[in-house]
Amino acid sequence: AQSVTQPDIHITVSEGASLELRCNYSYGATPYLFWYVQSPGQGLQLLLKYFSGDTLVQGIKGFEAEFKRSQSSFNLRKPSVHWSDAAEYFCAVGLIDSNYQLIWGAGTKLIIKP
Amino acid sequence: NAGVTQTPKFQVLKTGQSMTLQCAQDMNHNSMYWYRQDPGMGLRLIYYSASEGTTDKGEVPNGYNVSRLNKREFSLRLESAAPSQTSVYFCASSVGLPGADTQYFGPGTRLTVL
């Protein structure tokens, strides 16, 4: 069955350090890929998405993600985190041959150390 | 534009009571969604509506009903609330199908069932 795995429930990073959040999916074809962010007490907001083309995708707030077909991964990166990046991050996968059903990962909570 | 609005923001119910969560979007989107979010479980789709007049069950529809009143509004009803329905509920909308377009989220409704 199709699934999305975010292996890290929590990640703690020092302010100014680099960040990588992992996302792996299980799906037979190349899906549409999304990263959303949820700040405390708020709804989700799209950070970036990949549909096709260049496998390195730039998003808002200085985030980027790289699609690696061979690893079925879509990891989110930021070179230098800010305290305002503390939030929960969700990876999601759109199944293009299943009526574009969307599968969500369980989320990774990012904690920033001052 | 207000985007996606939800009412109420907070609600406390007793077991067996009923209530309706309201959602409206002003972006002329075709698709609308209701999710619930529980700690450690990410987002789970309750119902969605791909267009005005159509609704479909998601992953966890039991105990809920929905109405797509018009293109703008999509309500979620709990007929007889249970403690297991204590959760944060999010409404979202998108132009097209769930896995093919950006979803825009409301701020959420925090529901407690005693």
Side-chain angles (χ1 to χ4, degrees), chain B residues 9 21 104 112:
Chain B
K9 285 187 168 43
L21 281 65
Y104 295 83
T112 301

Side-chain angles (χ1 to χ4, degrees), chain B residues 1-98:
Chain B
N1 287 352
V4 179
T5 56
Q6 292 182 235
T7 55
K9 285 187 168 43
F10 300 93
Q11 184 71 47
V12 178
L13 294 178
K14 295 181 180 177
T15 298
Q17 288 185 316
S18 62
M19 79 161 295
T20 299
L21 281 65
Q22 305 287 353
C23 174
Q25 53 92 7
D26 62 1
M27 296 173 283
N28 201 35
H29 286 171
N30 295 308
S31 299
M32 297 186 73
Y33 314 88
W34 276 107
Y35 291 96
R36 59 177 290 172
Q37 183 178 34
D38 302 290
M41 302 193 73
L43 287 173
R44 292 185 291 169
L45 183 65
I46 304 171
Y47 272 94
Y48 80 96
S49 170
S51 61
E52 185 179 351
T54 68
T55 60
D56 287 285
K57 294 178 181 179
E59 182 184 356
V60 288
N62 291 347
Y64 305 94
N65 286 299
V66 290
S67 295
R68 183 78 183 265
L69 305 169
N70 47 54
K71 193 170 186 180
R72 290 187 64 248
E73 298 172 290
F74 189 39
S75 62
L76 178 72
R77 183 160 178 84
L78 287 70
E79 290 291 352
S80 178
S84 61
Q85 294 178 305
T86 293
S87 188
V88 181
Y89 291 86
F90 288 100
C91 178
S93 70
S94 66
V95 172
L97 294 171

Side-chain angles (χ1 to χ4, degrees), chain A residues 91-106:
Chain A
C91 180
V93 168
L95 308 181
I96 60 174
D97 61 0
S98 185
N99 202 32
Y100 294 93
Q101 180 185 359
L102 189 67
I103 307 294
W104 292 89

Side-chain angles (χ1 to χ4, degrees), chain A residues 12 14 26 44 46 55-56 61 67 82 84 88:
Chain A
T12 301
S14 297
S26 172
L44 282 72
L46 180 75
T55 56
L56 186 63
K61 307 186 182 192
F67 169 55
H82 185 261
S84 60
E88 191 155 18

